[in-house]
Each structure stands twice: as C-alpha cells, then as structure tokens.
Amino acid sequence: MEFTQTFKSSSFSLPSPDGRIIATIAPPKLVLRSASSLEIIRTIDIGLDFASRINFLRWFVSAKRDSQPSNLSDGTLRTTDLALRVLVADEDTVKVWDVYSPNFKATIEGASSGIGKVANVEFGQSADEILVFSECNVKLIVWSLSTGRSIQIRDPKFSTKGFGYRPRTGHLALLTRPASHDIVTVHKPRTYEVINSIATPTLDAQGLRWSPDGRWFAVIESASSGYKASIYTADGNLYKSYSGAQNEGPKGLGIRIMEWCPTGKSLAIGDYDSKITFLNNKTFAPTMTLGHPTTLKLPRTCIYQEQVDSNGRHTYAKATQDLSPPLSSASSSPDNQFLGISHLAFSAKGDYLASINAQTNTTVWLWSLIRPSPVAVLVHHCPVKNVFWHPTVPDLLLVQCTADEPLIYLWQPSWAEPRVVCVPIPKPIAGKHQVSWIYSSASMSKPLDFDSEPAPLEEMTSQARYPMAMYGDTQKFVVGYVVDEEGRWQDDLASALGRKEEDVFEADEELSEKVEASWVEDQVDDTFRYRHRIPVSS
C-alpha cells in the first residue's frame, strides 16, 4: 500500500460520497482536492474568523437541475448528470457551494431561526434542502436554497438520529416527542406536509431506520424501558412488535443497536446481552441468534491476535483456540456503555457482518451470512473504535483502533491472514485520528496489491492508481493508494465479485441445513423455515 505526502488540515478532512473530491478546511480557505491526483482543483475563501468556528462539514451528490431524461434503464443517473455540493457551518451560519458551478453560493444566517445554537446540520432529500436542528431539539428547520424559505417542524427527539428519508420516494420519517410520549411523523417530499402521525408503543424510543427497499421502518425502545422493536409499514401502520423470542423467559437487558441487511431481507438487532438476533422481512420472526462468548473456543474459525515484534512492527498471528480476549477496562462499571453489541456493520452485498461486543471491545467478530458462522475473529491490543466495509470492493474490511500509533487493520476472506498497515504520518493527536474509505467505482474491476514496493510519489499520477483510504487528524492527513496492475486479482476476490445476490442469506426461504456450531444459538421454529444457500465451488 502506498501513501501520499502529508497534507495540512485544521479540521477533519472529508472525501465526497462519490470519491472524487477531498474537502479540507485550511484557514482561511476551504480547499478542494482531486482524490485521484491530490491536486487542488478549487479554493474558496471563507474568512479566517468563520473557518475557526466551523463545526460541520457535509457533502451531497445530487442530480443537476438542468439534467433532462438522461437516466439509465435502471433509473440511476449518468455520471455526467451528477453535481457535488459541499456545506460548512458554525453554530449560527450555514454556507453551501457547488463544486462544479463556481457561481453558485448560498448562505443561511441565523440558521436556527433564533432558537439557540445549531445542534446539527445535514443536507435534506435534495441538494436544495438543508436540515438544521436547533439547540435542545426545539425545532427542525428545513431551508430551501431555491426559494430562500424555511419550514419548521417542532420537537424532534434527536438531532443526529431518529430520522430518515424513505428510499426512492423521499418521504421523511421523524421521531418526535412533543410531550410525554413518542410520536413518529411522516412528511411529504419537498412540502414536508404531515401525512401521518403515529403514536408509538414505546416509552423512550432511541432510534428509527428505514429498510433499504423502503417498505418498512423500525423503531427501537430504550433498554431501560424494556426489550422492544416496532416495525411499521411505509404508510405508518404498526405491523409487528418484537419483544424477544417467546421461549426465552426473561426478555434480556434490552436493545442497543439495529441494522438492516443491505438486501433488505432481514433486520439485525444487537442487544445488551451480547447477542445479535435476525428477523426476517416477511413476518419479522427471529431466524437465528449469534452469540459472543468471552472465551473463544471455535475450532473451525481462524482467530488472529495482534502482535508486536522487537522492532515495533505490528502483525496478526493465529492464536490458540482457548483464548480469552481482554475485558473492557470498565466492564464492571454500571454504565451500560460497556455492555452489549456496540457495532454492527454489513458488507456492501450483505455477505458478511462485522460485530463488536462492548464487553470485549478489542475484538472484532466476522460472520458469514451465506452459511451463518464466524469466519474470523480479530483480537487487538487497543479497543476498536470503528469498522468500515469498502463500498465497492466486496468483503474488504478496515478496522480502526484507539491506539495512538498510525495503524490501519485490513481483512479480506481470500487473504492468508489479515494485514496491519503502518501509515507514514507523524504521530496523530491522541483520540483525534480518523480513517475512512474513499469510494472508487474503478476498484470493482481493478486489482488490489497491498504488498507492492512503494513507487516514487511523482509516479503516482502517471500510473492508473486509485485512492482507497484516508487517514488523518485535525492537523494533517494522507491518502493511501493501491497499485493498478492487470491480472493481479485473487481468485477468491474475483468469485466474490461475481457472486449473485441470491447467494446472500435470504430469510424468507426454508432452512435446509442444521447449524452445528455452538455460537449460533436458539434457532427458532416458525411458520417458515429458512434456508441458507451454500455456493458450490467448481
């Protein structure tokens, strides 16, 4: 893996969703760089005073307003019909620019409409809509950049979660709390007129998520108020409430996190009992439960443990099967932050799931959902901060730990062992480092080579190289590249690229195999039995 030189930054730099541009705050300017060449393509003067107060940096990829019927047969827009907008904001003012339209600029002063400071800013359903959450969640203000007008929605319950747009249609579902009870309001696109108001059966709802196909949205209850997930149809009718498997007796400690499978076939619920329960998308009955024991006795699973040699080089090594990962330093604390499933992340095609049990927060569990089983367990020296699947390269995982050393951890199922990459950057500011993938559609058809000898930096723009990951803190960042040489794909990765969606775990079919391993717990019988298709290698 190759890295660029270090670039200065006074705040977290952020790549655009399409992976073309990297935005950086470098007072008194907003600097836009090409992600492929790292050349500056535009600088925007935002003023030294405003730049020092910036709290938010956001991207949006949208269709150009003048783009006519140039959609492809599947409904997606051609690349040439996409426009990029970037947003920066402080606690009172929002400024927006269009990357490819230098004459476009929008400024919203007093963005919270005089109700305290700005708590959060997001783009809305379109590039012309800006969502501004006021302090203390008093109001959500939807600003229109095309008309200059705003729409106010009272009493959003949260500013960073509890809301979402329905895929395809753009209806907004918002979790609100106008009094002593929770209400979900469903709003029309553009006008934000309320078309339904639903009083939920929750005492203290903690999250709302649309399914990828837009047919359902789910609301989860606070763990202190019970174990409950409520699933609604798109028009707001309560379809099913799940309160734990009926044969379990006590319902457990409550739900901590939920994620929809990218295929929309199932909903994964992570609870404070360190279990993940899958609900099918037909009856929302449980299909399987994945446990996270604190002692690893998995004879069929590769367990890798981070090691450091005498030269300070970090690597993974296969661990013994009787391994007990270190417990969280505050696992005995009454704070539920150190209990339950803290992270759930599906791969882009839904073939794999990465999970973290907060009680052993140095450990990442990697599950195959084609045949429900753990394919690997990664144990690190420091707690894991986050996990990221690459958006276009199937099955490629990046792990970020809280260590002060500039390290990137990578896993791919076809590799002989996971990789640890030391980033050539000065020691990052403690607790401030950040890593992220950079989207690249070219990565779908180009090879990965993490072991190549580094090439001179001046050669990077003359060869076909694609950015993969960005690493940095509030003062600097670098971009990591992969070598583009034909014929270097591994067979396993090539087969992963060609895997059909039907091979992904489908919760609405019958189970034809008995799951033998002890980590898959409580296989549930229901009206439907579920089948996991096993790819047959030729």
Side-chain angles (χ1 to χ4, degrees):
M1 193 169 183
E2 300 173 4
F3 291 89
T4 65
Q5 66 188 59
T6 301
F7 296 93
K8 291 184 178 180
S9 173
S10 65
S11 180
F12 285 152
S13 301
L14 188 67
S16 61
D18 64 354
R20 297 184 181 186
I21 309 294
I22 297 175
T24 305
I25 305 298
K29 297 182 182 297
L30 169 64
V31 180
L32 304 179
R33 294 181 181 272
S34 167
S36 58
S37 67
L38 273 300
E39 295 179 355
I40 296 177
I41 61 173
R42 186 178 174 188
T43 59
I44 302 170
D45 191 351
I46 57 178
L48 185 61
D49 186 49
F50 180 74
S52 64
R53 301 194 311 267
I54 288 177
N55 298 322
F56 307 99
L57 174 62
R58 303 284 189 264
W59 280 104
F60 189 89
V61 179
S62 67
K64 294 180 181 178
R65 292 186 296 274
D66 57 354
S67 61
Q68 295 303 323
S70 55
N71 289 20
L72 302 177
S73 58
D74 61 358
T76 58
L77 288 165
R78 298 181 189 275
T79 304
T80 55
D81 295 327
L82 296 179
L84 275 175
R85 286 190 179 175
V86 61
L87 171 158
V88 294
D90 63 7
E91 59 187 28
D92 181 69
T93 304
V94 179
K95 296 185 179 183
V96 184
W97 293 269
D98 194 304
V99 174
Y100 299 122
S101 299
N103 295 328
F104 179 89
K105 177 185 177 181
T107 301
I108 305 174
E109 296 181 349
S112 62
S113 297
I115 307 175
K117 302 177 182 178
V118 173
N120 187 31
V121 181
E122 303 283 351
F123 277 101
Q125 177 62 16
S126 73
D128 288 326
E129 293 179 355
I130 306 297
L131 306 184
V132 177
F133 292 84
S134 65
E135 194 174 24
C136 300
N137 300 326
V138 177
K139 288 183 180 180
L140 164 60
I141 303 100
V142 184
W143 290 93
S144 172
L145 300 183
S146 57
T147 66
R149 298 180 179 178
S150 65
I151 301 170
Q152 297 188 4
I153 304 174
R154 295 185 56 185
D155 305 310
K157 187 168 185 179
F158 305 103
S159 61
T160 57
K161 62 179 182 178
F163 64 93
Y165 287 95
R166 186 191 183 200
R168 297 198 299 266
T169 66
H171 289 79
L172 174 68
L174 176 68
L175 185 59
T176 67
R177 194 173 180 88
S180 59
H181 53 279
D182 297 323
I183 292 179
V184 174
T185 55
V186 182
H187 302 258
K188 283 185 178 180
R190 294 180 294 279
T191 66
Y192 287 86
E193 176 186 348
V194 177
I195 60 177
N196 202 351
S197 183
I198 309 117
T200 67
T202 57
L203 296 178
D204 185 16
Q206 292 296 301
L208 180 151
R209 297 295 295 270
W210 283 100
S211 63
D213 58 9
R215 295 176 56 196
W216 317 94
F217 66 85
V219 177
I220 58 172
E221 175 69 285
S222 167
S224 62
S225 301
Y227 194 116
K228 180 178 290 186
S230 301
I231 294 89
Y232 293 83
T233 59
D235 57 358
N237 292 312
L238 179 62
Y239 181 78
K240 179 72 175 289
S241 287
Y242 175 72
S243 300
Q246 299 300 316
N247 60 346
E248 286 186 357
K251 300 305 179 185
L253 300 179
I255 298 173
R256 176 167 181 171
I257 190 173
M258 66 173 171
E259 288 289 344
W260 289 93
C261 178
T263 61
K265 298 295 184 179
S266 58
L267 173 65
I269 293 176
D271 58 33
Y272 282 97
D273 296 285
S274 302
K275 296 179 181 179
I276 303 172
T277 302
F278 283 78
L279 308 180
N280 70 68
N281 71 337
K282 303 296 183 182
T283 63
F284 289 95
T287 60
M288 65 177 177
T289 300
L290 308 179
H292 296 70
T294 56
T295 300
L296 304 180
K297 296 182 179 181
L298 308 173
R300 299 182 182 180
T301 302
C302 293
I303 302 174
Y304 297 98
Q305 191 171 21
E306 181 183 2
Q307 292 187 349
V308 183
D309 61 22
S310 58
N311 296 321
R313 181 172 176 267
H314 291 251
T315 58
Y316 281 108
K318 280 192 177 182
T320 61
Q321 296 300 313
D322 296 333
L323 176 67
S324 295
L327 298 178
S328 303
S329 58
S331 59
S332 60
S333 169
D335 188 348
N336 59 16
Q337 174 185 355
F338 301 100
L339 291 176
I341 304 301
S342 59
H343 291 77
L344 284 178
F346 286 94
S347 61
K349 289 186 176 182
D351 294 2
Y352 292 91
L353 172 70
S355 62
I356 300 175
N357 175 15
Q359 191 176 5
T360 54
N361 59 8
T362 63
T363 304
V364 178
W365 290 72
L366 300 169
W367 307 84
S368 168
L369 298 183
I370 299 174
R371 182 189 185 100
S373 61
V375 292
V377 179
L378 311 180
V379 183
H380 305 88
H381 286 176
C382 295
V384 177
K385 185 176 181 180
N386 216 331
V387 291
F388 307 94
W389 292 99
H390 195 278
T392 56
V393 179
D395 315 330
L396 179 60
L397 180 75
L398 184 152
V399 178
Q400 178 187 9
C401 292
T402 59
D404 292 337
E405 297 177 84
L407 299 173
I408 294 176
Y409 303 85
L410 301 169
W411 176 86
Q412 209 276 335
S414 64
W415 292 347
E417 61 185 21
R419 317 284 176 84
V420 183
V421 178
C422 183
V423 182
I425 189 173
K427 186 176 181 179
I429 299 175
K432 298 293 185 180
H433 58 288
Q434 177 174 290
V435 62
S436 62
W437 289 118
I438 297 180
Y439 180 95
S440 176
S441 59
S443 298
M444 287 293 290
S445 58
K446 300 297 182 182
L448 296 175
D449 186 357
F450 288 97
D451 294 326
S452 62
E453 291 296 325
L457 182 61
E458 58 270 15
E459 295 182 11
M460 299 185 75
T461 56
S462 63
Q463 301 182 31
R465 301 177 188 260
Y466 297 92
M468 290 293 293
M470 186 173 69
Y471 184 99
D473 56 23
T474 58
Q475 295 180 349
K476 54 194 175 296
F477 75 91
V478 296
V479 174
Y481 287 77
V482 294
V483 176
D484 182 15
E485 299 175 3
E486 295 296 334
R488 296 290 296 275
W489 280 114
Q490 301 180 46
D491 292 339
D492 289 344
L493 185 55
S495 63
L497 285 168
R499 186 178 298 154
K500 297 181 180 180
E501 183 175 339
E502 301 88 65
D503 290 334
V504 179
F505 165 64
E506 298 184 80
D508 58 332
E509 298 187 5
E510 292 190 342
L511 176 63
S512 61
E513 279 197 40
K514 179 181 178 181
V515 181
E516 299 178 351
S518 60
W519 28 259
V520 178
E521 305 173 356
D522 303 328
Q523 197 77 28
V524 179
D525 293 330
D526 195 15
T527 306
F528 304 96
R529 292 176 117 17
Y530 306 92
R531 182 176 64 212
H532 310 276
R533 295 188 180 180
I534 310 301
V536 179
S537 57
S538 56

